[in-house]
Amino acid sequence: VVTAFEMEVIPAERIVAQIGDTLVLTCNATGCASPSFSWRTQMDNPLGGKVSHHRTYSTLTMNPVSSVNSHEYLCTVICDEKKKKEKSVKVELYSFPSDPIIEISPSLVAGKPATVICKIPDVYPSSHLEVVLMKDKHILHETNFYADDSTNTETKIVTYSFHPTVEDIGKVISCVARLPIANMDFEPKERTSSQKLNANFGPQNTIITASPDNSPMEGGSLNLTCVTQSNPPPKIVWRKYLAEESIQHLIKNDVLSIPHVRFNDSGQYICEVINVVTNKTEKATVDIIIQGAPVITKLSIEPSTTVQEGENVSIQCSAESNPPPKIFLRRKSDNAGIRPYSARSILLPSVTFRNGGDYECVAENKFGNSKSEITLNVKYGPKNTVITVIPTAAVKEGETVTMKCTSSGNPAPVISWKKKLVTGESVKISENATLTIQELKSEDLGLYECEAYNQYGKEEKAVKLYVQGLLEKADQMIPFIIAFSSVAAVAVPAAAILIYVSRQAKINGSYSLVKALRLKV
């Protein structure tokens, strides 16, 4: 069976190709042992491709397809140099290779103008291009390029300016590009790109919230939270105004936490919010007042807790609380019903030993009270030195006399006894406060001196033992001894005078008690 000479072009008659792709046209011959092939374009334009002949077919490869390939291609086959057949195929081109590119310039800042840029890359023919800009489902802008006469691929750009708001954050900007060409079968004919709006704004509406409140109790917790509206999230710095108007820098978190507040945590706190993108700063302040029972912060004695008699002394008490405390400062040994010398201080000019002792500071308010004590130690030389003679009545020769010396001072005085010799020289005879003379005899008569001494001074007192008279008994004279304080050092105690004057005894001697006292005064 003889096969008739035939030919075909694949694809047949019409093909739609995208610029940049690869297109292969195939020309087949049947019923011919040695066909010859040729390709040309209508109007004999350049082929814009590579021809490859094979025994029964020929190919024209366009790699890549470009705008010069928009022609009607004709394949001619000659069989045995006699028979000739031709067929054509029309190549129609388009270019719509990728989705639009959305750019927003500059970075969105709420309230400031911004431009949305939509780029549609390498489109052809642009005279069919339609572009729609949308915010969520709302159309912002529509345009087309029907008037374009471009003969090659071009990137088309659509711009739209608007003022973003805080409410726009999270909404979607979409660029929808369509290339509807009648009678051209290709997909997709619509491409879409979207970008979520992230408008930068703030900081704004910055406030500070305090938990539990602005007046927490001393010892409790306090959390200050800085609340603001800002995008991107801001940098937060806490500060506190100090009394001298300088600023103390604290932490850099949105929450300032103080687990156990003290009274000195009271003050004005500042939250400073900084958006580094919008380059804006906003501040908020809150006044915190710590409440609670008083805490005594200072109880002091100036110049020192240990002073010398005669110095000027100041006792100070300070306490803190809210509400402010009432402060009472007093010496504990004073009458409990007596109110303090002063609310916060006691001034003791030329302090005396009587001012020494424990002082108490009491601070109170409606939440409670606090107490503290301090001791004032007044150093002073010996005072009130007293000699006591036992027995207090006259004694006889051979009996025992005890003389006791007492004195006050701080530190406690050291007491010693001396006896004055007939030469006028004094000799130390004892370093005890009590001097006892047993079996009293005539050589024990004389002047005895008691000396009380410490580093702040000394004080001396004296007593004299002498014969006052002779006592008649059984026709013999018995020596009679009497003791009394020598007025050269101190006045005679009234009690001793009364004792001697009131004694009922028969006295014979050279002078009486009254004369003796008068002589010594």
Side-chain angles (χ1 to χ4, degrees), residues 121 126 132 147 153 161 177 252 260 353 367 412 455 483 503 518:
S126 56
V132 179
T153 60
S161 294
K252 294 184 178 180
H260 305 286
F353 71 95
F367 292 110
Q455 66 197 77
R503 180 166 180 80
R518 186 180 302 121

Side-chain angles (χ1 to χ4, degrees), residues 197-256:
L197 284 176
N198 186 30
N200 299 312
F201 66 92
Q204 60 191 36
N205 302 324
T206 303
I207 61 169
I208 297 174
T209 61
S211 175
D213 53 39
N214 292 24
S215 300
M217 294 297 293
E218 195 265 348
S221 64
L222 173 65
N223 289 320
L224 300 179
T225 304
C226 191
V227 181
T228 189
Q229 295 176 340
S230 177
N231 189 44
K235 181 173 74 172
I236 294 178
V237 178
W238 284 96
R239 293 184 169 90
K240 181 188 176 187
Y241 275 121
L242 302 180
E244 59 272 21
E245 296 185 0
S246 63
I247 294 178
Q248 176 185 7
H249 291 253
L250 303 173
I251 63 171
K252 294 184 178 180
N253 298 322
D254 58 342
V255 178
L256 172 60

